[in-house]
Amino acid sequence: MARRARRRRRTRGTGWVTATALAGGLLTGCSSDDSLTYQTDYSAHRPLRVVGYPSTGSLETVQKAVWRLADGDAEGLAALAVDSTHAEATARNWVTAFGAAAKGNVTADFYDDGLVRQVVVLYFAESGRTKEIEARIGEDDRWGLTLAEPDPAEASAEPAWAPDKPGGTGSRARPS
């Protein structure tokens, strides 16, 4: 009798484990393409170092921008634009100017409060170069980038106001 009870307990446990595995498999199969793409990108690139206080939307947008730069994907970078007027030309310019540097360590220094827009300075460790970008909410209420530098000289220019190292002008301070 004790044997039969033990067998029943094992069967119940196995059934529970099977049901849990099936439910997990179904949930995984239902994940969105965006989520899967983000996870794949995240695991295929170096981590972005962050200084300051980004919002969730600005951080994700800047992270995707750095990945697109590192991949040499001007089309993917242009897809992040909030306005398509100069997006393709600007994206090509950015990839040419910063693509190789984005394959190495990159630090993003976030300024402003990040409610609707954030100025971000990217520090490319291997090249020592910097790039100022702006992440903001577009007309469709989604975060994107301002890509309005169709002139290659303008697109590759480094910000004169940015400190030599991330966090040097108070971006670490919490906005008031």
Side-chain angles (χ1 to χ4, degrees), residues 36-49 60 62-73 76-77 98-106:
L36 187 57
T37 300
Y38 187 85
Q39 291 171 4
T40 302
D41 275 342
Y42 187 84
S43 64
H45 295 89
R46 289 179 178 252
L48 178 68
R49 295 177 177 154
E60 182 177 343
V62 170
Q63 180 69 75
K64 287 178 180 178
V66 171
W67 293 338
R68 299 301 157 260
L69 285 170
D71 293 343
D73 182 4
L77 183 59
F98 301 101
K103 292 178 182 178
N105 292 325
V106 180

Side-chain angles (χ1 to χ4, degrees), residues 12 110 171:
R12 281 187 206 149
F110 289 80
S171 62

